[in-house]
């Protein structure tokens, strides 16, 4: 009986030996860098805060998240520091969905002269205030256009590169004029990185209609 038990034990060890060797020989996948939590303080890490000064007179602060999408964050910083976004309109603004900008032509078809980016889809959800990169049908076609989400849109998760979150003045985003394109589009007067300390630009002057006087009414036509 003892011999039978020992033989069974030996056979069992032999059966499991290859599995043990396989497990030891398998390569351990490289650990992915952790997704950092959002820092909502506008006083900290100013190198990763994008400021949008809008034509509605408001300033919006966006926390850029390099741990989520490093190449997309670097692109936004590069274009902002080059003045690329200054004067650009929000050309596609859908109520209950999002506000899209970043096209210098204002048509939704334009981009920067820099090469398109490879996707950096991640697990971060598209909640209210999410800032994500727009793209064409090709997953690797993001370039300069981005959008800000008004309400959660989880169907966009892992399909568009989520690279930041509004951390101050979401009410100003809510006030962006709607339309595709809007009749009176809201503009980015200036996009800057907080660490650069660019002052708030002066609001554009609104030209008032000339005053009509009695002399004007009595003037001859022609």
């Amino acid at each position: 009986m003892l011999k039978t038990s020992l033989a069974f034990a030996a056979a069992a060890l032999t059966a499991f030996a290859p599995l043990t060797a396989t497990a030891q020989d398998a390569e351990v996948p490289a650990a992915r860098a952790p997704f950092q939590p959002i820092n909502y303080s506008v006083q900290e890490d100013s190198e990763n805060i994008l400021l949008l000064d809008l034509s509605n007179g408001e300033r919006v602060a966006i926390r850029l998240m390099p741990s989520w999408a490093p190449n997309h964050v670097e692109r936004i910083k590069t274009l902002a520091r080059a003045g690329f976004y200054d004067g650009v309109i929000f050309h596609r603004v859908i109520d209950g969905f999002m506000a899209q900008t970043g096209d210098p032509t204002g048509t939704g078809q334009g981009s920067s002269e820099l090469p398109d980016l490879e996707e950096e889809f991640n697990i971060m959800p598209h909640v209210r205030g999410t800032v994500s990169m727009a793209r064409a049908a090709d997953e690797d076609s993001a370039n300069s256009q981005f959008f800000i989400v008004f309400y959660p849109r989880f169907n966009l998760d892992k399909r568009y590169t989520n690279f930041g979150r509004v951390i101050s003045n979401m009410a100003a985003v809510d006030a962006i004029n709607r339309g595709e394109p809007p009749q009176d589009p809201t503009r980015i007067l200036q996009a800057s990185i907080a660490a650069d300390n660019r002052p708030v630009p002066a609001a554009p002057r609104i030209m008032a209609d000339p005053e009509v006087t009695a002399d004007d009414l009595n003037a001859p036509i022609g």
Side-chain angles (χ1 to χ4, degrees), residues 109-120:
Q109 304 299 316
S111 63
S112 76
E113 295 180 353
L114 297 175
D116 291 345
L117 295 164
E118 292 185 7
E119 58 87 2
E120 291 181 304

Side-chain angles (χ1 to χ4, degrees), residues 117-209:
L117 295 164
E118 292 185 7
E119 58 87 2
E120 291 181 304
F121 302 158
N122 53 63
I123 63 173
M124 306 312 296
H126 283 72
V127 296
R128 174 171 164 80
T130 287
V131 188
S132 194
M133 213 68 171
R135 62 173 176 82
D138 184 351
E139 292 185 346
D140 299 327
S141 60
N143 187 289
S144 63
Q145 294 189 41
F146 63 90
F147 59 91
I148 306 174
V149 178
F150 293 130
Y151 293 103
R153 288 282 177 151
F154 301 128
N155 62 319
L156 303 179
D157 295 354
K158 299 181 182 179
R159 296 175 56 209
Y160 293 84
T161 298
N162 182 341
F163 67 88
R165 184 81 56 82
V166 173
I167 60 172
S168 176
N169 207 0
M170 186 63 192
V173 178
D174 291 333
I176 293 173
N177 293 339
R178 271 55 168 172
E180 299 182 69
Q183 290 186 344
D184 181 22
T186 303
R187 293 182 179 272
I188 299 175
L189 298 182
Q190 176 179 276
S192 63
I193 302 303
D196 297 344
N197 294 314
R198 293 180 66 183
V200 177
R205 291 184 178 182
I206 300 176
M207 300 299 293
D209 293 332

Side-chain angles (χ1 to χ4, degrees), residues 14-26:
T14 302
F16 283 106
L19 296 177
T20 305
T22 301
Q24 291 175 346
D25 295 340

Side-chain angles (χ1 to χ4, degrees), residues 33-39 45 63-68 124 165:
F35 292 110
Q36 297 297 320
I38 299 169
N39 182 348
D45 191 17
R63 171 66 64 189
L64 303 176
M65 300 299 296
S67 70
W68 298 2
M124 306 312 296
R165 184 81 56 82

Side-chain angles (χ1 to χ4, degrees), residues 3-18:
K3 290 183 179 180
T4 303
S5 300
L6 290 175
F8 179 82
L13 289 174
T14 302
F16 283 106

